[in-house]
Amino acid sequence: RRYFLSLLLLNFSSAVIDKNKFEFFVLKFLQKFFMLIGLKAGRRIAVSLSYLLYYVIPLRKSVVKKNLHLAFPEKSEKEIKRLAFENLRSSMITFIEVLTLPKFDEKSLEELFVPSDMAEFFSRYTKKTGALLMTAHFGNWEYIAVWVGLCLDVPFNVLIKRMRNPYATKLLRKNRTRYGNIEIPVGNSVKTLIEKLKMKEAVGIVGDQRGKREGPRVRFFNRDTAIYTGTAMMAIKMNVPVLFVLSVRQKDYKYKLIYKEIKYDDLEGTVDEKVLALTQRYMTMVEETVREHPEQWFWMHNIWKY
């Protein structure tokens, strides 16, 4: 019995390893292919891929449509289907853009963004103290991480969640850290983040992920939504500025940056009440932009699972 159990576990482990290697091979092939043909051609292919993944091999289509119905109950079924397809196309474009990121040098990266005074804005805070930069799964958040890191005058630490596939994680890490950004994996990260902030460095967090079932909730698209509040707790206890930044894809595929400070010095009540209020302000800012450009948020994420 033990022999057969051991054999079963060994075969399962081998299957997982082979699956991870196969996925990495496909990902690496796609990266080389899209880097070879160029980003412009890659974006055109993204449209064709979207038709395939929407009509032939549905990619989380039901989750996307469910979320869109919940967020926009006033929209017709026809409008929801159109938005769902546009959202998939946006996701495919982001995917291809991330794959081709190693092809760009600093000047090429700069040309991907609409000119702004973002660097000067951030420097007002980072020259004096550490700062928490909060973004969301909107537009191209990987582009933001790289570009913001280049613009800051202090080290930029990015909180990341390791993927199931270690090979894919390594590939993304190479992209993210190419210009000096530092990855901090989720887990025992709080102590590290606090140390970085004490050293007056910047920390970037994508904060719009679903929280625990029993955790606190804020209002998002008029629904009670479980969201992690650790970032707000850290900001309030350490009294560091919280800066909001999103990238909005334009028709010419350049990205317009939205950035502002999320103020919280006027909040009253207990620490927990302040934390919830600050988290609500962040999610309200996310919602305002998503309502203007609903196709660019990551609706594949099952944020209203419970």
Side-chain angles (χ1 to χ4, degrees), residues 60-76:
R60 293 185 70 81
K61 180 178 175 180
S62 60
V63 174
V64 172
K65 290 183 65 178
K66 182 201 78 171
N67 286 338
L68 287 170
H69 273 297
L70 292 173
F72 304 103
E74 74 282 0
K75 291 188 182 297
S76 65

Side-chain angles (χ1 to χ4, degrees), residues 78-265:
K78 183 178 180 180
E79 290 176 304
I80 292 297
K81 286 182 178 179
R82 177 185 58 80
L83 262 182
F85 176 78
E86 289 180 357
N87 182 244
L88 180 59
R89 180 176 60 189
S90 177
S91 298
M92 288 299 100
I93 290 172
T94 298
F95 172 69
I96 291 171
E97 287 176 342
V98 171
L99 284 181
T100 57
L101 189 55
K103 188 174 183 178
F104 295 92
D105 55 20
E106 292 186 28
K107 184 178 179 181
S108 300
L109 279 169
E110 182 179 3
E111 292 173 350
L112 294 173
F113 291 89
V114 175
S116 69
D117 64 347
M118 183 191 69
E120 291 79 3
F121 173 79
F122 285 157
S123 68
R124 300 173 203 164
Y125 301 91
T126 54
K127 284 182 179 179
K128 299 177 182 178
T129 181
L132 281 163
L133 276 65
M134 296 196 70
T135 186
H137 291 92
F138 184 93
N140 192 323
W141 54 94
E142 294 288 350
Y143 271 9
I144 284 185
V146 176
W147 182 235
V148 169
L150 281 170
C151 291
L152 292 177
D153 52 4
V154 296
F156 188 39
N157 306 273
V158 183
L159 186 68
I160 62 105
K161 183 178 180 180
R162 288 191 180 97
M163 300 174 66
R164 171 188 54 79
N165 190 323
Y167 304 106
T169 298
K170 187 176 180 180
L171 180 66
L172 281 177
R173 182 186 303 122
K174 187 175 181 181
N175 286 355
R176 290 168 175 157
T177 60
R178 183 180 173 199
Y179 292 107
N181 287 358
I182 303 164
E183 283 191 348
I184 301 178
V186 170
N188 299 322
S189 56
V190 175
K191 183 179 179 181
T192 304
L193 293 176
I194 290 174
E195 289 174 353
K196 296 294 184 180
L197 290 171
K198 284 182 177 178
M199 291 189 290
K200 298 183 179 181
E201 296 184 6
V203 171
I205 295 176
V206 183
D208 59 342
Q209 303 205 35
R210 183 183 67 243
K212 295 181 179 180
R213 183 186 295 271
E214 66 277 9
R217 282 165 164 71
V218 297
R219 297 294 288 177
F220 186 56
F221 282 91
N222 298 316
R223 303 186 66 84
D224 287 334
T225 307
I227 292 291
Y228 287 109
T229 57
T231 305
M233 176 68 76
M234 200 180 311
I236 287 173
K237 287 196 171 183
M238 297 191 67
N239 193 30
V240 294
V242 180
L243 309 178
F244 178 78
V245 55
L246 286 184
S247 62
V248 182
R249 185 183 293 121
Q250 307 297 294
K251 290 182 179 180
D252 61 358
Y253 294 104
K254 285 193 175 186
Y255 284 94
K256 180 180 179 181
L257 291 164
I258 296 173
Y259 46 94
K260 60 184 76 174
E261 181 181 3
I262 309 179
K263 294 184 177 295
Y264 60 89
D265 55 354

Side-chain angles (χ1 to χ4, degrees), residues 267-278:
L267 296 178
E268 298 178 351
T270 65
V271 171
D272 287 343
E273 289 171 340
K274 290 180 180 179
V275 166
L276 198 61
L278 176 54

